[in-house]
Amino acid sequence: MVGTNLTSVVEFILLGFSDLCNFQGFLFGIFLIIYISILIGNGLIILVTKVSPALHTPMYFFLGNFSFLEICYTSVTLPDMLTNLWIHDRSISFFACAIQLCFLLILGGSECLLLAVMAYDRYVAICKPLYYSLIMTHKVCVQLVVGSWATGIPVMIGQTYQVFSLPFCDSNKLNHVFCDIPPLLKLACSDTSVIEFSVYVVAVLFVMIPFLLIIRSYVKIITTILKLPSNTGKYKAFSTCSSHLIVVILFFGSATITYSRPKSNNSGRTDKILSLFYTIVTPMFNPMIYSLRNKDVIDALKQLLQVK
């Protein structure tokens, strides 16, 4: 902590769902089941994309990386939430809160970029099938994944530094389930307009631009699919892309609503539910969305689990 104003807050109290005193054990059980299902589901996706030769393609290379990213993204918040619910200690140090927010932003930005990369992969596969193997080489795929992971690191570290450079001197009670920008700005006792503007700029760079690129890719994909002469070909192409599109809508929809809500809007319960949606619920459903709607993944899972 730098400066005298910041010394008044050495830790935050994450209120979480403390108002639901009679449901702490129930919530712990629900979140524990969700976390285990996220680890198992995404872990299985990673495993099958590695061991099944039929899935050694760019599409499944990106899917495996996406599943690993989901595990990391969820692990930033859920273990702490489970600990708070179990031992009823809701305190988090100033430094730990900053670290949690930094990793949350970095991984969230990486997820947006990786979803855009996955949309581009589907665009090349459907709209330029003859050039697919030339464009989406293994080297290019690795570069796109590394770029998705690394691009946001300096920006998000800077964003975190900006937020935690604010003086928090009125209260240390964070009305949220984890350290996030909107509830932290509510606790600041100085003008936050500059930081709010920088948050919107970063949101445009790492949320809006990837989302627009995804929409652009899918407009071209759908246009190409509708021109296919065979209904079977149309169905196969749509089924390949629909899983990714569902994930995009779930993740970007809830995240956009959360970060576009004004700071003055006193709706802590709504913010908590929305944040849980894009940090926990979406990662839980991703393996089901991708596996249940993908015959190749189902076949690979059956072979892995030796189910006939």
PDB file of all heavy atoms in Angstrom, residues 188-210:
ATOM      1  N   ALA A 188     -14.596   3.211  -2.553  1.00  0.00           N
ATOM      2  CA  ALA A 188     -13.601   4.279  -2.664  1.00  0.00           C
ATOM      3  C   ALA A 188     -14.174   5.597  -2.157  1.00  0.00           C
ATOM      4  O   ALA A 188     -15.336   5.926  -2.401  1.00  0.00           O
ATOM      5  CB  ALA A 188     -13.135   4.421  -4.104  1.00  0.00           C
ATOM      6  N   CYS A 189     -13.338   6.359  -1.439  1.00  0.00           N
ATOM      7  CA  CYS A 189     -13.812   7.649  -0.913  1.00  0.00           C
ATOM      8  C   CYS A 189     -13.150   8.808  -1.660  1.00  0.00           C
ATOM      9  O   CYS A 189     -12.779   9.811  -1.069  1.00  0.00           O
ATOM     10  CB  CYS A 189     -13.565   7.731   0.584  1.00  0.00           C
ATOM     11  SG  CYS A 189     -11.864   7.428   1.080  1.00  0.00           S
ATOM     12  N   SER A 190     -12.964   8.631  -2.950  1.00  0.00           N
ATOM     13  CA  SER A 190     -12.462   9.710  -3.800  1.00  0.00           C
ATOM     14  C   SER A 190     -13.119   9.579  -5.171  1.00  0.00           C
ATOM     15  O   SER A 190     -13.844   8.618  -5.434  1.00  0.00           O
ATOM     16  CB  SER A 190     -10.933   9.639  -3.934  1.00  0.00           C
ATOM     17  OG  SER A 190     -10.560   8.462  -4.626  1.00  0.00           O
ATOM     18  N   ASP A 191     -12.861  10.537  -6.021  1.00  0.00           N
ATOM     19  CA  ASP A 191     -13.461  10.528  -7.362  1.00  0.00           C
ATOM     20  C   ASP A 191     -12.926   9.344  -8.165  1.00  0.00           C
ATOM     21  O   ASP A 191     -11.712   9.162  -8.301  1.00  0.00           O
ATOM     22  CB  ASP A 191     -13.132  11.846  -8.072  1.00  0.00           C
ATOM     23  CG  ASP A 191     -13.760  11.900  -9.466  1.00  0.00           C
ATOM     24  OD1 ASP A 191     -14.852  11.314  -9.643  1.00  0.00           O
ATOM     25  OD2 ASP A 191     -13.147  12.509 -10.365  1.00  0.00           O
ATOM     26  N   THR A 192     -13.844   8.553  -8.701  1.00  0.00           N
ATOM     27  CA  THR A 192     -13.448   7.354  -9.451  1.00  0.00           C
ATOM     28  C   THR A 192     -13.768   7.472 -10.950  1.00  0.00           C
ATOM     29  O   THR A 192     -13.692   6.486 -11.665  1.00  0.00           O
ATOM     30  CB  THR A 192     -14.163   6.110  -8.896  1.00  0.00           C
ATOM     31  OG1 THR A 192     -15.590   6.293  -9.033  1.00  0.00           O
ATOM     32  CG2 THR A 192     -13.817   5.869  -7.446  1.00  0.00           C
ATOM     33  N   SER A 193     -14.101   8.665 -11.399  1.00  0.00           N
ATOM     34  CA  SER A 193     -14.538   8.834 -12.785  1.00  0.00           C
ATOM     35  C   SER A 193     -13.450   8.448 -13.787  1.00  0.00           C
ATOM     36  O   SER A 193     -13.741   7.829 -14.823  1.00  0.00           O
ATOM     37  CB  SER A 193     -14.991  10.273 -13.039  1.00  0.00           C
ATOM     38  OG  SER A 193     -13.946  11.187 -12.714  1.00  0.00           O
ATOM     39  N   VAL A 194     -12.198   8.780 -13.484  1.00  0.00           N
ATOM     40  CA  VAL A 194     -11.086   8.448 -14.397  1.00  0.00           C
ATOM     41  C   VAL A 194     -10.924   6.931 -14.499  1.00  0.00           C
ATOM     42  O   VAL A 194     -10.752   6.377 -15.592  1.00  0.00           O
ATOM     43  CB  VAL A 194      -9.769   9.105 -13.925  1.00  0.00           C
ATOM     44  CG1 VAL A 194      -8.602   8.639 -14.799  1.00  0.00           C
ATOM     45  CG2 VAL A 194      -9.888  10.615 -13.976  1.00  0.00           C
ATOM     46  N   ILE A 195     -10.983   6.256 -13.346  1.00  0.00           N
ATOM     47  CA  ILE A 195     -10.819   4.808 -13.342  1.00  0.00           C
ATOM     48  C   ILE A 195     -12.015   4.133 -14.016  1.00  0.00           C
ATOM     49  O   ILE A 195     -11.852   3.156 -14.757  1.00  0.00           O
ATOM     50  CB  ILE A 195     -10.637   4.286 -11.902  1.00  0.00           C
ATOM     51  CG1 ILE A 195      -9.311   4.808 -11.345  1.00  0.00           C
ATOM     52  CG2 ILE A 195     -10.672   2.763 -11.859  1.00  0.00           C
ATOM     53  CD1 ILE A 195      -9.010   4.379  -9.944  1.00  0.00           C
ATOM     54  N   GLU A 196     -13.217   4.668 -13.779  1.00  0.00           N
ATOM     55  CA  GLU A 196     -14.395   4.116 -14.444  1.00  0.00           C
ATOM     56  C   GLU A 196     -14.258   4.226 -15.956  1.00  0.00           C
ATOM     57  O   GLU A 196     -14.620   3.301 -16.688  1.00  0.00           O
ATOM     58  CB  GLU A 196     -15.655   4.826 -13.970  1.00  0.00           C
ATOM     59  CG  GLU A 196     -16.081   4.445 -12.566  1.00  0.00           C
ATOM     60  CD  GLU A 196     -17.373   5.130 -12.157  1.00  0.00           C
ATOM     61  OE1 GLU A 196     -18.369   4.992 -12.886  1.00  0.00           O
ATOM     62  OE2 GLU A 196     -17.383   5.819 -11.123  1.00  0.00           O
ATOM     63  N   PHE A 197     -13.721   5.346 -16.411  1.00  0.00           N
ATOM     64  CA  PHE A 197     -13.515   5.525 -17.852  1.00  0.00           C
ATOM     65  C   PHE A 197     -12.495   4.511 -18.374  1.00  0.00           C
ATOM     66  O   PHE A 197     -12.687   3.912 -19.440  1.00  0.00           O
ATOM     67  CB  PHE A 197     -13.031   6.946 -18.151  1.00  0.00           C
ATOM     68  CG  PHE A 197     -12.723   7.196 -19.600  1.00  0.00           C
ATOM     69  CD1 PHE A 197     -13.751   7.331 -20.533  1.00  0.00           C
ATOM     70  CD2 PHE A 197     -11.403   7.270 -20.046  1.00  0.00           C
ATOM     71  CE1 PHE A 197     -13.466   7.547 -21.879  1.00  0.00           C
ATOM     72  CE2 PHE A 197     -11.115   7.479 -21.385  1.00  0.00           C
ATOM     73  CZ  PHE A 197     -12.154   7.614 -22.302  1.00  0.00           C
ATOM     74  N   SER A 198     -11.420   4.301 -17.614  1.00  0.00           N
ATOM     75  CA  SER A 198     -10.400   3.334 -18.046  1.00  0.00           C
ATOM     76  C   SER A 198     -10.970   1.917 -18.059  1.00  0.00           C
ATOM     77  O   SER A 198     -10.598   1.098 -18.903  1.00  0.00           O
ATOM     78  CB  SER A 198      -9.168   3.396 -17.139  1.00  0.00           C
ATOM     79  OG  SER A 198      -9.442   2.853 -15.864  1.00  0.00           O
ATOM     80  N   VAL A 199     -11.894   1.622 -17.128  1.00  0.00           N
ATOM     81  CA  VAL A 199     -12.550   0.309 -17.109  1.00  0.00           C
ATOM     82  C   VAL A 199     -13.355   0.113 -18.389  1.00  0.00           C
ATOM     83  O   VAL A 199     -13.320  -0.961 -19.002  1.00  0.00           O
ATOM     84  CB  VAL A 199     -13.465   0.171 -15.866  1.00  0.00           C
ATOM     85  CG1 VAL A 199     -14.349  -1.074 -15.987  1.00  0.00           C
ATOM     86  CG2 VAL A 199     -12.631   0.084 -14.599  1.00  0.00           C
ATOM     87  N   TYR A 200     -14.074   1.150 -18.808  1.00  0.00           N
ATOM     88  CA  TYR A 200     -14.857   1.055 -20.044  1.00  0.00           C
ATOM     89  C   TYR A 200     -13.950   0.898 -21.267  1.00  0.00           C
ATOM     90  O   TYR A 200     -14.268   0.169 -22.205  1.00  0.00           O
ATOM     91  CB  TYR A 200     -15.759   2.283 -20.210  1.00  0.00           C
ATOM     92  CG  TYR A 200     -16.945   2.291 -19.274  1.00  0.00           C
ATOM     93  CD1 TYR A 200     -17.161   3.349 -18.390  1.00  0.00           C
ATOM     94  CD2 TYR A 200     -17.854   1.234 -19.265  1.00  0.00           C
ATOM     95  CE1 TYR A 200     -18.235   3.342 -17.522  1.00  0.00           C
ATOM     96  CE2 TYR A 200     -18.941   1.227 -18.398  1.00  0.00           C
ATOM     97  CZ  TYR A 200     -19.129   2.285 -17.537  1.00  0.00           C
ATOM     98  OH  TYR A 200     -20.205   2.272 -16.684  1.00  0.00           O
ATOM     99  N   VAL A 201     -12.793   1.587 -21.253  1.00  0.00           N
ATOM    100  CA  VAL A 201     -11.851   1.468 -22.372  1.00  0.00           C
ATOM    101  C   VAL A 201     -11.326   0.033 -22.461  1.00  0.00           C
ATOM    102  O   VAL A 201     -11.280  -0.567 -23.547  1.00  0.00           O
ATOM    103  CB  VAL A 201     -10.667   2.460 -22.202  1.00  0.00           C
ATOM    104  CG1 VAL A 201      -9.577   2.168 -23.232  1.00  0.00           C
ATOM    105  CG2 VAL A 201     -11.162   3.895 -22.351  1.00  0.00           C
ATOM    106  N   VAL A 202     -10.930  -0.526 -21.309  1.00  0.00           N
ATOM    107  CA  VAL A 202     -10.439  -1.901 -21.287  1.00  0.00           C
ATOM    108  C   VAL A 202     -11.546  -2.869 -21.701  1.00  0.00           C
ATOM    109  O   VAL A 202     -11.298  -3.851 -22.414  1.00  0.00           O
ATOM    110  CB  VAL A 202      -9.895  -2.260 -19.886  1.00  0.00           C
ATOM    111  CG1 VAL A 202      -9.571  -3.751 -19.797  1.00  0.00           C
ATOM    112  CG2 VAL A 202      -8.642  -1.438 -19.579  1.00  0.00           C
ATOM    113  N   ALA A 203     -12.778  -2.587 -21.266  1.00  0.00           N
ATOM    114  CA  ALA A 203     -13.908  -3.438 -21.641  1.00  0.00           C
ATOM    115  C   ALA A 203     -14.135  -3.422 -23.150  1.00  0.00           C
ATOM    116  O   ALA A 203     -14.437  -4.461 -23.755  1.00  0.00           O
ATOM    117  CB  ALA A 203     -15.173  -2.983 -20.918  1.00  0.00           C
ATOM    118  N   VAL A 204     -13.943  -2.260 -23.762  1.00  0.00           N
ATOM    119  CA  VAL A 204     -14.084  -2.168 -25.227  1.00  0.00           C
ATOM    120  C   VAL A 204     -13.002  -3.000 -25.910  1.00  0.00           C
ATOM    121  O   VAL A 204     -13.269  -3.750 -26.856  1.00  0.00           O
ATOM    122  CB  VAL A 204     -14.002  -0.690 -25.684  1.00  0.00           C
ATOM    123  CG1 VAL A 204     -13.847  -0.610 -27.197  1.00  0.00           C
ATOM    124  CG2 VAL A 204     -15.251   0.070 -25.251  1.00  0.00           C
ATOM    125  N   LEU A 205     -11.765  -2.897 -25.400  1.00  0.00           N
ATOM    126  CA  LEU A 205     -10.639  -3.602 -26.017  1.00  0.00           C
ATOM    127  C   LEU A 205     -10.741  -5.117 -25.855  1.00  0.00           C
ATOM    128  O   LEU A 205     -10.475  -5.871 -26.796  1.00  0.00           O
ATOM    129  CB  LEU A 205      -9.321  -3.120 -25.404  1.00  0.00           C
ATOM    130  CG  LEU A 205      -8.894  -1.683 -25.732  1.00  0.00           C
ATOM    131  CD1 LEU A 205      -7.655  -1.307 -24.932  1.00  0.00           C
ATOM    132  CD2 LEU A 205      -8.627  -1.526 -27.225  1.00  0.00           C
ATOM    133  N   PHE A 206     -11.139  -5.564 -24.660  1.00  0.00           N
ATOM    134  CA  PHE A 206     -11.081  -7.002 -24.368  1.00  0.00           C
ATOM    135  C   PHE A 206     -12.442  -7.691 -24.342  1.00  0.00           C
ATOM    136  O   PHE A 206     -12.493  -8.918 -24.228  1.00  0.00           O
ATOM    137  CB  PHE A 206     -10.367  -7.228 -23.032  1.00  0.00           C
ATOM    138  CG  PHE A 206      -8.900  -6.960 -23.101  1.00  0.00           C
ATOM    139  CD1 PHE A 206      -8.390  -5.706 -22.836  1.00  0.00           C
ATOM    140  CD2 PHE A 206      -8.016  -7.965 -23.463  1.00  0.00           C
ATOM    141  CE1 PHE A 206      -7.033  -5.444 -22.914  1.00  0.00           C
ATOM    142  CE2 PHE A 206      -6.655  -7.722 -23.542  1.00  0.00           C
ATOM    143  CZ  PHE A 206      -6.166  -6.458 -23.274  1.00  0.00           C
ATOM    144  N   VAL A 207     -13.509  -6.930 -24.422  1.00  0.00           N
ATOM    145  CA  VAL A 207     -14.839  -7.537 -24.447  1.00  0.00           C
ATOM    146  C   VAL A 207     -15.574  -7.177 -25.736  1.00  0.00           C
ATOM    147  O   VAL A 207     -15.995  -8.058 -26.494  1.00  0.00           O
ATOM    148  CB  VAL A 207     -15.684  -7.113 -23.218  1.00  0.00           C
ATOM    149  CG1 VAL A 207     -17.067  -7.751 -23.278  1.00  0.00           C
ATOM    150  CG2 VAL A 207     -14.985  -7.514 -21.926  1.00  0.00           C
ATOM    151  N   MET A 208     -15.721  -5.882 -25.994  1.00  0.00           N
ATOM    152  CA  MET A 208     -16.528  -5.457 -27.130  1.00  0.00           C
ATOM    153  C   MET A 208     -15.898  -5.822 -28.473  1.00  0.00           C
ATOM    154  O   MET A 208     -16.574  -6.355 -29.366  1.00  0.00           O
ATOM    155  CB  MET A 208     -16.763  -3.940 -27.062  1.00  0.00           C
ATOM    156  CG  MET A 208     -17.768  -3.443 -28.105  1.00  0.00           C
ATOM    157  SD  MET A 208     -19.384  -4.250 -27.959  1.00  0.00           S
ATOM    158  CE  MET A 208     -19.914  -3.629 -26.370  1.00  0.00           C
ATOM    159  N   ILE A 209     -14.588  -5.549 -28.633  1.00  0.00           N
ATOM    160  CA  ILE A 209     -13.929  -5.853 -29.908  1.00  0.00           C
ATOM    161  C   ILE A 209     -13.929  -7.353 -30.202  1.00  0.00           C
ATOM    162  O   ILE A 209     -14.299  -7.765 -31.310  1.00  0.00           O
ATOM    163  CB  ILE A 209     -12.506  -5.252 -29.946  1.00  0.00           C
ATOM    164  CG1 ILE A 209     -12.582  -3.725 -30.009  1.00  0.00           C
ATOM    165  CG2 ILE A 209     -11.715  -5.799 -31.148  1.00  0.00           C
ATOM    166  CD1 ILE A 209     -11.241  -3.027 -30.004  1.00  0.00           C
ATOM    167  N   PRO A 210     -13.523  -8.224 -29.240  1.00  0.00           N
ATOM    168  CA  PRO A 210     -13.635  -9.664 -29.499  1.00  0.00           C
ATOM    169  C   PRO A 210     -15.057 -10.101 -29.811  1.00  0.00           C
ATOM    170  O   PRO A 210     -15.282 -10.938 -30.695  1.00  0.00           O
ATOM    171  CB  PRO A 210     -13.140 -10.295 -28.191  1.00  0.00           C
ATOM    172  CG  PRO A 210     -12.228  -9.299 -27.606  1.00  0.00           C
ATOM    173  CD  PRO A 210     -12.830  -7.973 -27.951  1.00  0.00           C
TER     174      PRO A 210
END
